[in-house]
Amino acid sequence: MTELTLSELENNDDFIGRHIGPRDGEKAAMLKSLGYDEMASFIADVVPASIFEAESMALAGAQTEYATLARMRAIADQNVVKKSLIGMGYYNTITPPVVQRNVLENPAWYTAYTPYQAEISQGRLEAILNFQTIVKDLTGMEIANASLLDEGTAAAEAMTMAQRVSRSKATQFFVSESCLPQTIAVIQTRAKPLGITIVVGDHRSDLIAEDCFGALFQYPAVDGSIGDFREAIAALQANKGLAIMATDLLALTLLTPPGELGADIVVGNSQRFGVPLGYGGPHAAFMATADKHKRSMPGRLIGISVDSAGDSALRMALQTREQHIRREKATSNVCTAQALLAVMASFYAVFHGPEGLKRIAQRVHRQTSLLAKAVQTLGFTLHAETFFDTLTINTGDKTAALHSAARDAGFNLREIDSSTLGLSLDETITRDDLCELVAVFAQGQDIECDLDEIVASGLPGDFSRTSDFLTHPVFQRYRSETEIMRYMRLLADKDLALDRAMIPLGSCTMKLNAAVEMMPVTWDSFGKLHPFVPLDQAQGYQTLIKELEAMLCVCTGYDNVSLQPNAGSQGEYAGLLAIQGYHHSRGDDQRTVCLIPSSAHGTNPASAVMAGLKVVLVECDASGNVDLADLQAKCELHSEQLSSIMITYPSTHGVFEEQVREVCGMVHDHGGQVYIDGANMNAQVGLCAPGHFGGDVSHLNLHKTFCIPHGGGGPGVGPIGVLAHLAPFLPGYAVVDADDAPAVTGPVSAAPWGSASILPITWAYIALMGSEGLTEATRTAILSANYMATRLAPHYPVLYTGRKGFVAHECIIDLRGIKDACGVTVDDVAKRLIDYGFHAPTMSFPVAGTLMIEPTESESLQEIDRFCDAMISIREEIQEIEDSKIEHAQSALHHAPHTLKVVTSDTWDRLYSREQAAYPVPSLYKNKYWPSVGRVDNVHGDRHLICSCPPVSDYE
Amino acid sequence: MNKTLVITVLATDRPGIVNTLSEILVEHNANWIDSRMANLADKFAGLVQVVVPEDQLEGLKKKLQALHLADNQLNILMEEATAQDNTEQRELSLELIGADRPGIIDDITSTLTKLNVNINQLETEQREASMSSEILFYANMTLGLSPAISNDDVQDALEALQDQLMVDINFSE
Ligand SMILES: Cc1ncc(COP(=O)(O)O)c(C=O)c1O
């Protein structure tokens, strides 16, 4: 036996083989099937030589899971966890352990994809429908969406929605000065390129209703007061303007809901429903509105429809509003939202029920009232008479001393100015906390307080809530832990996530989200930091952020990175703002044309419009590449006005375009900047770098290439990398003063570092894999896609290929010929795949009538083969229809997917057997997924739109 | 005096249909004013508005009729337009998107008819939606509105249909 060295025995590369699916021998076999003996020559034939990076990335070597966690722990320990009573829209909360363990830490929930495939998503659709019901009930509105990215962007979305809906011609938008400062900052950023004038002031004296198409009020306000906005709302509406209220769900259990005060749109953050602070995110923001405005509402919306058997089934409704269909005319660029966090918030409400929520609110309010009395007894005055959980206290020259005493006692208070401070209480506050807070303010004075005294309430009597909420049985039924645990399991079992099978969604990169990467997310030292704590308490985060920025610079070839954008769409928007900031700085204000290839993702044109740009389409040629002649013509035509081009690399067609350098060069020659959409970065890391081959700015989807799980439709992180000349124009920070904060462009998210608490996932992935591991992941992703394309090509035409007939990391198969020949649609194939136990590939993007398949490096050869076998078997079923052995309308394809109820029914009049319906390949006997509903009827859903929990009878 | 004639042509598609037609028109000094043509499921369909001198009208009609009778793959219909004064009308161009279903065009057109709106042009298409692949209905239309009808009236009426149509006004005069 040969003895190994200690270095070999330590096996620091161990994780690489955990992340990458195919074993070395399998990779060799896959290469062989493509005609290669070794990986390097294969990759050299796929990746254009003109952009190939011969040098390996300057990153540390791979680390074991154990070592990575230890290093992460050391970083986390640099954070100082105090109880932050800073408020401003972020509050401490208690994540019910049953929710933490069964949802947040459960891959059945966090590895799911956005529920476009309704039949395999009924569990999370139900949880999100519950979320919509909670928001609708608490706000008193008619319809609520399923999450936006944060309260600041939700308010900004509400502003642009108000402009769309309002029949007023005014161009001003009024923002109450008592709104959250980060909200005001995000709105100002958003308004500027759209030519909207923001007026910030006191709604009682400064609002000139006839000049405004809308106005935003905060209820309760940032200083804690509960204002009366009824007159302002009426005045606005009399002038065709819309009234928007930003609010707090917990407060609304006690306060008259905005819907009853006349609000047209309501926004807010659901964070305090059990979602950790996480230094700013991710949390699910919400928007609710009147039914008549639903078409203009941004974001995803879950609705009820029926399935092929006529049973109730859920689906994503009114998708015609969204960017993937309406592109530059979309209501918003929002794509990935905050689904997992919305699900957590919904279970928090299911767990507590209406009485429980009210009790929490009353407790917080009582504590606040007791504290208000105590500080007044101590001689301080309050800034406002009304309050729910937040006090603004006039502390005069004692302010600094009070802050420092509070900090010593373990609390952060809100720093307002040198003579005023603020504090917000929350459900984590104990009796002891309250006594300590009183002691902080007493500063040695003696004070008696009876904590069980029923003190005067700070809630204004005429705003106390009288209407019921959460009356649906779902908010009563699951009060015992046994029941709620089983409810969560029941819902999770309806869904198909990565914990069951591969999810071969092209453009989505559904790779492994390793447990080790997820673990730090639930550490208190990351979870309990308020986004606005003093920087010296967040040194762990700051270290992590700096290191991650540097890692991402190396991976992309850019000079600077901003981690602020909360999703790819927000990264696109931030990147375009950086480009426009750069043009403006050079006096090129006229550069407002953005070239976008016709194959672009819908978020691209939608983001361009938000950045104030005019979209000009560039055609693709017959092989799917940017048509250079058309590009040349458009560049010349718009030379003076050319702002930028937005391309995706490898293209959305899944091909490494050979001429990408030429494309970038042409645009640069005409003074334009190049935005490279980095959604397909999984084909590039370690092999080529957009910052080196012509990009000026790119966003990355950390929830694709860099292992943040999709969470059933979010969270995501969409950082942007830029070359140095754009660095000054990266998004600035709201509220937080940091020396290195960029100062030209305003913030695009409420929190300076966006969804900070999930950044450890990406940091860990890069640390675990090291330079070589990351590059091998990329190579394997490309190998697997080509292996798959080659296996499928004899059965389905592969639409686009690059040099030597290879695809990049995904491939498009064309079903249009099949549809013309026998009527079988993309939908039929997608739904039939469910019977085979798979989530369908991406449907009809970027080309209608096609499927786009992306295996990722994480899927084993066995799983890839299982998928190919399923596709080939489906092709045989199609052949039977083509050969007229069975009619399309009679076929298993047409009736797919098959539920257990259908297959076991006493009546079976189909022309194919039950076995063919449910077990078309033998491997299914060992492992069978049953969809909980049959094919969902989309038309019915939109024609009978219901977007909150169904009538009670459905539950009995 | 000139007369306005509207001609429709429905034929199995083959090269030369339009050319044959235009040659006949030239022979009769007819002026080709406006047309719409489409190729649907291998059929060619054309709708042509021509202005023809009154003394040529009968000749032109006969010639077209003869063409129609000579070829059973070529159907031609024609009708003289009664002069209608549309000067009072203004144009509104709209785009609609919604989930496709049988009868949707009928519901849209009858809604517009109830409003007394002229449909000057209507193009529709079915497309598979990206991501969900549901079948969407796209329509592009130009409407003639009498002064009593506002853009908002049209939008409100279309949005009142159960289909949750997305209505975009592209331009209005
Ligand atoms: C090519 C491309 N660009 C942009 C996006 C938008 O990213 P996000 O969903 O994170 O907003 C996506 C993903 O959905 C994409 O595939």
Side-chain angles (χ1 to χ4, degrees):
Chain A
M1 188 174 125
T2 51
E3 288 290 337
L4 300 176
T5 64
L6 181 57
S7 310
E8 286 164 333
L9 290 166
E10 280 166 350
N11 198 19
N12 285 340
D13 288 348
D14 181 66
F15 182 77
I16 299 173
R18 311 267 171 206
H19 176 82
I20 294 179
R23 306 294 89 198
D24 287 346
E26 289 170 342
K27 283 191 235 173
M30 290 157 83
L31 281 165
K32 200 147 189 186
S33 76
L34 299 171
Y36 289 85
D37 291 333
E38 41 124 28
M39 184 73 102
S41 41
F42 164 67
I43 291 296
D45 280 350
V46 180
V47 181
S50 59
I51 61 170
F52 185 75
E53 305 262 335
E55 301 242 327
S56 61
M57 293 182 291
L59 293 170
Q63 290 289 326
T64 63
E65 300 187 32
Y66 184 76
T68 302
L69 277 183
R71 169 91 174 93
M72 184 67 86
R73 180 64 79 182
I75 292 177
D77 286 347
Q78 296 172 30
N79 288 331
V80 179
V81 179
K82 295 192 188 291
K83 219 169 233 191
S84 286
L85 310 182
I86 299 169
M88 303 173 76
Y90 302 97
Y91 309 90
N92 300 300
T93 179
I94 301 168
T95 309
V98 68
V99 176
Q100 174 167 335
R101 171 148 297 188
N102 295 285
V103 177
L104 181 56
E105 296 176 344
N106 181 351
W109 290 98
Y110 68 71
T111 68
Y113 189 67
T114 309
Y116 287 113
Q117 294 287 334
E119 295 82 359
I120 50 114
S121 311
Q122 292 295 308
R124 56 191 185 277
L125 285 166
E126 179 167 329
I128 300 175
L129 190 77
N130 291 345
F131 177 81
Q132 290 178 177
T133 306
I134 294 159
V135 172
K136 167 187 169 290
D137 278 13
L138 284 170
T139 58
M141 302 301 286
E142 289 168 338
I143 190 167
N145 74 1
S147 93
L148 290 170
L149 294 162
D150 61 24
E151 183 167 335
T153 54
E157 295 281 1
M159 169 181 73
T160 50
M161 174 175 162
Q163 195 178 33
R164 279 193 300 280
V165 169
S166 164
R167 285 175 175 172
S168 149
K169 298 275 174 285
T171 56
Q172 282 185 11
F173 184 72
F174 180 87
V175 182
S176 154
E177 62 196 5
S178 68
C179 288
L180 304 175
Q182 68 272 22
T183 298
I184 299 177
V186 170
I187 284 183
Q188 276 163 333
T189 309
R190 190 72 70 93
K192 203 169 149 200
L194 301 176
I196 297 171
T197 309
I198 299 295
V199 179
V200 180
D202 183 332
H203 70 280
R204 287 161 303 192
S205 49
D206 305 331
L207 171 64
I208 302 169
E210 52 272 32
D211 291 346
C212 301
F213 65 82
L216 176 71
F217 312 111
Q218 190 95 34
Y219 174 78
V222 68
D223 64 4
S225 64
I226 296 152
D228 183 351
F229 300 106
R230 287 173 295 190
E231 248 177 61
I233 291 171
L236 276 165
Q237 289 166 345
N239 289 283
K240 299 188 186 165
L242 274 82
I244 305 165
M245 292 178 84
T247 190
D248 172 41
L249 293 179
L250 191 64
L252 293 184
T253 63
L254 305 180
L255 289 175
T256 306
E260 293 171 24
L261 300 173
D264 297 293
I265 308 175
V266 183
V267 295
N269 184 359
S270 62
Q271 176 266 323
R272 76 188 315 179
F273 276 24
V275 181
L277 289 166
Y279 201 40
H283 318 131
F286 60 81
M287 179 186 284
T289 188
D291 187 71
K292 62 177 186 247
H293 299 320
K294 61 186 173 238
R295 284 182 189 75
S296 295
M297 186 162 63
R300 290 164 176 157
L301 184 65
I302 309 306
I304 302 172
S305 186
V306 293
D307 75 355
S308 46
D311 293 326
S312 166
L314 304 172
R315 63 185 274 277
M316 285 166 66
L318 276 188
Q319 291 185 45
T320 44
R321 296 166 300 121
E322 292 185 71
Q323 45 73 33
H324 59 282
I325 292 172
R326 288 242 292 179
R327 307 178 74 83
E328 66 269 24
K329 287 192 178 131
T331 52
S332 156
N333 67 342
V334 165
C335 178
T336 294
Q338 304 280 26
L340 185 67
L341 301 312
V343 167
M344 283 180 73
S346 84
F347 279 122
Y348 177 94
V350 168
F351 177 80
H352 288 294
E355 314 78 34
L357 292 175
K358 206 164 167 176
R359 193 180 314 114
I360 294 169
Q362 284 169 331
R363 185 174 79 232
V364 171
H365 180 62
R366 174 62 52 73
Q367 290 170 328
T368 312
S369 306
L370 287 163
L371 192 58
K373 185 177 173 195
V375 297
Q376 284 172 303
T377 310
L378 288 165
F380 297 102
T381 56
L382 297 181
H383 185 73
E385 277 167 27
T386 56
F387 57 83
F388 163 59
D389 63 354
T390 298
L391 302 175
T392 299
I393 307 170
N394 301 316
T395 42
D397 54 7
K398 299 201 179 115
T399 308
L402 287 171
H403 276 300
S404 112
R407 224 161 273 158
D408 289 346
F411 300 99
N412 290 313
L413 308 183
R414 177 174 174 223
E415 300 186 26
I416 298 175
D417 57 37
S418 60
S419 59
T420 330
L421 59 72
L423 57 83
S424 299
L425 301 189
D426 57 65
E427 64 165 325
T428 69
I429 298 294
T430 61
R431 271 172 185 263
D432 288 350
D433 289 334
L434 212 50
C435 293
E436 285 192 46
L437 282 167
V438 172
V440 164
F441 283 93
Q443 291 198 300
Q445 281 183 77
D446 260 349
I447 170 163
E448 279 288 305
C449 50
D450 170 9
L451 292 185
D452 278 316
E453 186 192 346
I454 308 290
V455 288
S457 158
L459 297 173
D462 44 349
F463 289 118
S464 74
R465 180 163 191 140
T466 53
S467 47
D468 285 344
F469 53 91
L470 308 190
T471 53
H472 193 273
V474 75
F475 302 107
Q476 296 292 346
R477 189 161 285 187
Y478 306 109
R479 207 48 46 73
S480 79
E481 178 156 335
T482 305
E483 282 296 320
I484 193 169
M485 172 180 74
R486 289 181 189 153
Y487 179 50
M488 290 165 170
R489 174 67 192 260
L490 173 83
L491 294 188
D493 278 356
K494 292 184 180 191
D495 288 8
L496 210 159
L498 278 177
D499 62 335
R500 285 188 196 254
M502 104 189 266
I503 301 185
L505 282 164
S507 208
C508 301
T509 314
M510 297 296 286
K511 57 164 66 173
L512 172 73
N513 318 116
V516 58
E517 295 153 4
M518 293 298 294
M519 287 178 79
V521 172
T522 44
W523 291 353
D524 278 355
S525 41
F526 285 126
K528 291 199 167 160
L529 259 66
H530 189 285
F532 304 145
V533 295
L535 284 176
D536 62 3
Q537 292 178 25
Q539 284 309 300
Y541 264 118
Q542 291 300 322
T543 303
L544 181 95
I545 286 163
K546 295 272 156 14
E547 291 189 14
L548 182 56
E549 287 174 354
M551 289 166 164
L552 294 177
C553 283
V554 170
C555 294
T556 56
Y558 286 111
D559 300 317
N560 294 79
V561 161
S562 166
L563 295 169
Q564 189 177 112
N566 282 326
S569 61
Q570 308 302 296
E572 292 168 20
Y573 171 62
L576 293 173
L577 288 185
I579 288 175
Q580 289 310 91
Y582 170 76
H583 285 317
H584 291 163
S585 75
R586 294 156 50 96
D588 282 345
D589 290 8
Q590 82 290 359
R591 292 198 175 270
T592 53
V593 166
C594 183
L595 303 177
I596 301 185
S598 49
S599 58
H601 193 262
T603 49
N604 290 189
S607 299
V609 168
M610 282 167 54
L613 298 174
K614 180 168 169 266
V615 175
V616 172
L617 281 189
V618 182
E619 297 304 326
C620 291
D621 63 20
S623 40
N625 301 326
V626 171
D627 183 332
L628 288 188
D630 190 48
L631 176 62
Q632 181 70 38
K634 301 269 158 76
C635 281
E636 282 168 13
L637 182 63
H638 301 289
S639 190
E640 287 294 303
Q641 289 79 40
L642 188 60
S643 153
S644 46
I645 189 170
M646 292 184 93
I647 55 172
T648 305
Y649 204 75
S651 70
T652 55
H653 291 143
V655 175
F656 279 103
E657 287 177 64
E658 291 284 329
Q659 10 80 323
V660 64
R661 273 186 187 273
E662 283 87 324
V663 168
C664 300
M666 258 186 218
V667 171
H668 282 145
D669 287 347
H670 288 272
Q673 293 278 294
V674 176
Y675 187 101
I676 300 183
D677 181 323
N680 289 344
M681 199 66 207
N682 211 41
Q684 299 188 70
V685 179
L687 301 181
C688 60
H692 293 165
F693 62 71
D696 297 292
V697 45
S698 292
H699 78 263
L700 304 174
N701 302 71
L702 298 191
H703 47 298
K704 300 181 195 260
T705 315
F706 293 96
C707 295
I708 289 177
H710 268 70
V717 178
I720 51 174
V722 293
L723 292 184
H725 68 282
L726 293 182
F729 309 102
L730 287 172
Y733 304 164
V735 182
V736 173
D737 264 327
D739 300 337
D740 54 352
V744 183
T745 311
V748 299
S749 306
W753 295 282
S755 295
S757 73
I758 51 177
L759 298 176
I761 300 171
T762 297
W763 183 99
Y765 171 60
I766 296 173
L768 288 157
M769 297 289 279
S771 173
E772 178 49 28
L774 290 171
T775 311
E776 185 60 14
T778 311
R779 294 184 199 112
T780 310
I782 296 173
L783 173 62
S784 293
N786 279 287
Y787 170 79
M788 195 170 234
T790 308
R791 271 209 68 191
L792 293 177
H795 310 278
Y796 300 91
V798 173
L799 188 56
Y800 295 119
T801 55
R803 188 164 49 109
K804 302 217 172 168
F806 289 123
V807 298
H809 65 309
E810 59 194 7
C811 70
I812 299 179
I813 58 170
D814 193 347
L815 300 183
R816 290 171 295 186
I818 288 174
K819 184 177 176 199
D820 289 345
C822 69
V824 172
T825 64
V826 168
D827 220 25
D828 292 337
V829 174
K831 304 310 175 195
R832 186 64 175 142
L833 271 169
I834 297 172
D835 289 332
Y836 286 78
F838 285 103
H839 189 296
T842 299
M843 298 197 291
S844 290
F845 172 75
V847 182
T850 65
L851 288 173
M852 180 156 60
I853 311 171
E854 178 179 2
T856 85
E857 71 277 12
S858 297
E859 294 302 336
S860 66
L861 178 57
Q862 197 190 341
E863 183 72 351
I864 291 172
D865 277 336
R866 192 171 74 90
F867 177 79
C868 292
D869 292 343
M871 287 299 293
I872 292 165
S873 166
I874 289 173
R875 186 67 189 86
E876 286 161 7
E877 295 179 356
I878 295 170
Q879 193 60 47
E880 294 198 349
I881 302 173
E882 288 183 343
D883 295 346
S884 305
K885 292 195 180 125
I886 189 164
E887 269 180 47
H888 175 222
Q890 312 291 337
S891 67
L893 275 147
H894 182 73
H895 289 292
H898 296 83
T899 59
L900 194 53
K901 180 179 161 193
V902 163
V903 171
T904 57
S905 155
D906 281 346
T907 52
W908 179 261
D909 50 11
R910 306 274 164 89
L911 298 184
Y912 50 93
S913 70
R914 291 178 152 112
E915 188 167 30
Q916 180 63 23
Y919 297 99
V921 288
S923 60
L924 291 167
Y925 291 120
K926 287 196 212 118
N927 184 4
K928 172 71 186 168
Y929 166 80
W930 290 101
S932 59
V933 297
R935 198 177 301 191
V936 176
D937 185 336
N938 289 315
V939 176
H940 179 96
D942 274 1
R943 279 175 62 84
H944 306 87
L945 196 68
I946 304 174
C947 298
S948 54
C949 287
V952 174
S953 55
D954 290 21
Y955 276 71
E956 285 156 6
Chain B
M1 247 304 257
N2 283 338
K3 289 279 175 192
T4 297
L5 189 66
V6 176
I7 308 166
T8 68
V9 183
L10 182 64
T12 303
D13 198 24
R14 54 159 200 252
I17 299 178
V18 177
N19 196 33
T20 314
L21 193 64
S22 70
E23 278 171 12
I24 297 174
L25 292 176
V26 172
E27 268 172 43
H28 293 86
N29 288 332
N31 213 350
W32 187 300
I33 300 293
D34 197 0
S35 60
R36 307 267 181 284
M37 296 184 181
N39 206 316
L40 301 169
D42 282 341
K43 294 286 174 206
F44 168 85
L47 182 65
V48 186
Q49 178 189 352
V50 300
V51 171
V52 57
E54 197 165 0
D55 57 347
Q56 296 279 347
L57 181 65
E58 279 315 302
L60 176 61
K61 279 182 164 176
K62 280 210 182 95
K63 189 80 186 230
L64 291 170
Q65 189 66 17
L67 191 65
H68 172 72
L69 293 174
D71 183 348
N72 61 4
Q73 299 285 348
L74 181 62
N75 294 298
I76 300 182
L77 279 176
M78 65 207 108
E79 195 145 319
E80 235 179 288
T82 44
Q84 197 193 24
D85 189 9
N86 282 349
T87 46
E88 282 282 281
Q89 297 216 330
R90 59 191 187 84
E91 276 214 336
L92 173 66
S93 150
L94 286 179
E95 244 176 80
L96 306 181
I97 308 182
D100 193 38
R101 64 169 172 89
I104 189 164
I105 297 184
D106 187 37
D107 285 354
I108 290 169
T109 50
S110 60
T111 302
L112 294 171
T113 311
K114 267 186 227 139
L115 272 185
N116 228 342
V117 162
N118 259 355
I119 304 176
N120 297 341
Q121 194 191 337
L122 171 65
E123 281 168 30
T124 64
E125 194 191 342
Q126 285 183 340
R127 229 184 283 162
E128 277 148 323
S130 88
M131 308 314 284
S132 67
S133 244
E134 59 191 276
I135 308 294
L136 296 181
F137 166 82
Y138 286 76
N140 229 315
M141 54 170 99
T142 315
L143 306 178
L145 266 54
S146 66
I149 309 262
S150 72
N151 294 356
D152 289 348
D153 293 337
V154 175
Q155 180 159 3
D156 289 347
L158 290 171
E159 287 184 352
L161 288 171
Q162 248 187 40
D163 292 276
Q164 318 286 357
L165 291 170
M166 303 295 298
V167 179
D168 271 308
I169 296 196
N170 283 348
F171 70 82
S172 68
E173 265 173 25

